[in-house]
Amino acid sequence: APGPSTREMMTGFRSIRADPLDFLCRAREQYGDLVAFPVPGPPALLVSDPTDVRRVLQTSARNWSKDTVQYRALARVTGPGLLASAEPNWLEHRRLVAPAFHHQRLHSLAAKVANAGDRALDVHVGWSSRTHTVDVAEVCLRIALDVVGDAILSTDLSEQAHRLLEATSAAARLVVRLGQSILPERIPSALNRRLTTTRRKLDVLCFELIEARRAAGSHGDDLLGLLIEGGLSDQEIRDELVTMVIAGHETVAAALSWTLMLLAEHPSAQDGVRSEVALLPGSVPMMQTRSVLPWTRAVIDEALRLYPPAWVISRRSRAADLIGGREVPAGTTAIISPWVLHRRADAWNDPERFRPQRFRDGSVPRANYLPFGAGPRLCIGRDFALGEMAIILSRIVSRFRVELPAEWSRPSPQADVAVHPSGGMPLCLTPIRSP
Ligand code: HEM
């Protein structure tokens, strides 16, 4: 397959680190749907053709494992938890945690999500009638961390649970640096030493929580309870808890921040969400957002198209396979980028434009829309995330008008664990007076 030469990669290297999103988009534009990067050993391919993407993630999924640089870096923090696991026992774990994401259970979380949103708004914005300029990225991170804590560790978050959430959130930041580091774990670099300390801290916090729950006798219906009842070892439970916190908060927080920015840029879309929510007889449910709040859901879908938090998905072939109609050897790395697919000009009408309507008029090229991945490793928290976003957005826009600050320039997207706004997302929130 065509692709940049080693020299081009070397000169482009700074830009792949500084701006991997732009780098990947340019690579596809320049070389097409299959780009080969010049690496030693088996090929590393940027795969963008819908048939190949489907093959890697779906039809030939068994042959494509998560034994990649991306997931190995994550696993150094999470261990082989559900997201990073390249192990055959992944499916057992997925089945075990699935009840935590069943519709019934999600339904019962709606009030907690709304409370977490209200709490954060009270603290960060308060009740005065003036306009506040608020870093919504920070507020959304707080909300998303609280919500995931509620979901996995139950209602009354103990001091211990709070400490685990904070420590895990900080650990997530290490993952990106680990992905870029070429030093093996045994070398006592500053980064590796920090990793060891962080892991130890997470272990202690998790093991204490697990022990306390075991001692309490009743396991509860949250994720921790399910994992204990499922007979997993303490180490396995620790890995799943850390995984869920990492997978479930930065992604949602980033998605919410970008959605709020797009709503501030498009006041009529924001009015649409506000009036749809106002017409709802009860509170916003966690489920069936598409039928209950069609416009709000279209806004969320469109925001996830323009700013997919999970910007890259990688796999490695266990055995030879077919990509682009040609055989690729065992050990081939396939890089699939939702960011690239969601913005391709040959698939999307006016791809750079925020146009939620496209999700209502049936003009979406589904094969090029993968905010939650696809196939057996599809995001297990998908419905949870969509419901959570609908609830939080509804709380914010029914209480505040969201506007751009006077000196506005769009924050640039920074591709870390999730694509988040670099330097935060300062927006103006003005309380709406009740009539
Ligand atoms: C997997 C995106 C929210 C837990 C994934 C994958 C994507 C994704 C793209 C597939 C990765 C791959 O195939 O390599 C997102 C986005 C979210 C979100 C964009 C928010 C807007 C959540 C939440 C949770 C969660 C709220 C849990 C509370 C997971 C887990 C996996 C996963 C455990 C691995 C599933 C498996 O391999 O069986 N997510 N996610 N995610 N996500 Fe999410």
Side-chain angles (χ1 to χ4, degrees), residues 113-401:
V113 174
N115 281 338
D118 292 348
R119 253 191 334 259
L121 290 174
D122 291 348
V123 171
H124 291 268
V125 195
W127 286 97
S128 83
S129 56
R130 53 185 189 87
T131 299
H132 286 258
T133 305
V134 180
D135 179 3
V136 298
E138 196 190 321
V139 179
C140 293
L141 198 67
R142 177 89 348 252
I143 297 174
L145 199 58
D146 266 14
V147 168
V148 85
D150 256 340
I152 66 175
L153 299 166
S154 212
T155 352
D156 302 308
L157 285 181
S158 61
E159 180 59 28
Q160 197 78 355
H162 274 300
R163 279 171 44 209
L164 173 62
L165 292 176
E166 297 301 338
T168 313
S169 182
R173 252 144 263 147
L174 271 185
V175 173
V176 182
R177 294 182 48 205
L178 289 169
Q180 295 168 345
S181 159
I182 45 167
L183 292 178
E185 205 167 335
R186 62 195 147 73
I187 310 252
S189 63
L191 182 60
N192 282 343
R193 281 201 308 270
R194 231 181 104 199
L195 175 67
T196 310
T197 325
T198 305
R199 265 201 310 229
R200 236 176 250 148
K201 189 168 171 189
L202 294 178
D203 287 353
V204 170
L205 290 166
C206 281
F207 294 149
E208 282 176 5
L209 276 171
I210 298 167
E211 199 185 311
R213 189 68 75 87
R214 286 198 202 277
S218 102
H219 294 154
D221 68 344
D222 58 6
L223 188 87
L224 176 56
L226 284 171
L227 296 169
I228 292 179
E229 240 157 70
L232 297 193
S233 69
D234 284 10
Q235 185 63 46
E236 287 173 316
I237 296 177
R238 174 260 183 229
D239 291 349
E240 296 305 349
L241 290 180
V242 173
T243 292
M244 288 300 168
V245 178
I246 290 190
H249 83 288
E250 284 202 28
T251 43
V252 171
L256 276 170
S257 309
W258 293 115
T259 311
L260 286 165
M261 178 198 82
L262 291 163
L263 288 178
E265 287 180 348
H266 299 86
S268 63
Q270 184 179 152
D271 287 342
V273 173
R274 194 171 289 118
S275 35
E276 195 172 65
V277 170
L279 286 176
L280 214 61
S283 46
V284 173
M286 194 82 166
M287 305 309 309
Q288 277 102 37
T289 45
R290 198 187 299 283
S291 53
V292 181
L293 295 169
W295 176 252
T296 307
R297 175 58 190 273
V299 163
I300 293 171
D301 288 341
E302 177 71 339
L304 286 170
R305 180 186 72 80
L306 278 168
Y307 294 96
W311 56 282
V312 70
I313 296 174
S314 58
R315 296 287 191 272
R316 205 166 117 107
S317 63
R318 297 179 205 273
D321 211 313
L322 274 184
I323 294 291
R326 296 238 196 105
E327 191 174 294
V328 295
T332 297
T333 299
I335 300 162
I336 294 164
S337 171
W339 184 278
V340 169
L341 298 177
H342 291 186
R343 288 169 181 257
R344 50 188 298 173
D346 54 349
W348 296 89
N349 204 344
D350 220 350
E352 300 296 326
R353 222 177 108 210
F354 175 69
R355 209 170 64 79
Q357 191 56 35
R358 69 174 96 233
F359 281 88
R360 304 203 60 197
D361 59 20
S363 63
V364 169
R366 290 278 163 192
N368 286 292
Y369 186 64
L370 294 179
F372 295 100
R377 309 285 312 238
L378 177 82
C379 176
I380 198 167
R382 177 181 174 276
D383 290 349
F384 184 128
L386 291 169
E388 177 181 352
M389 286 183 68
I391 293 175
I392 301 300
L393 287 175
S394 77
R395 298 312 265 201
I396 296 176
V397 303
S398 32
R399 210 165 128 182
F400 303 99
R401 218 173 41 243

Side-chain angles (χ1 to χ4, degrees), residues 3-14 23 31 37-38:
S5 65
T6 309
R7 197 161 157 271
E8 281 166 322
M9 275 296 279
M10 295 308 276
T11 45
F13 192 63
R14 224 171 288 125
F23 179 88
Y31 300 104
F37 295 117

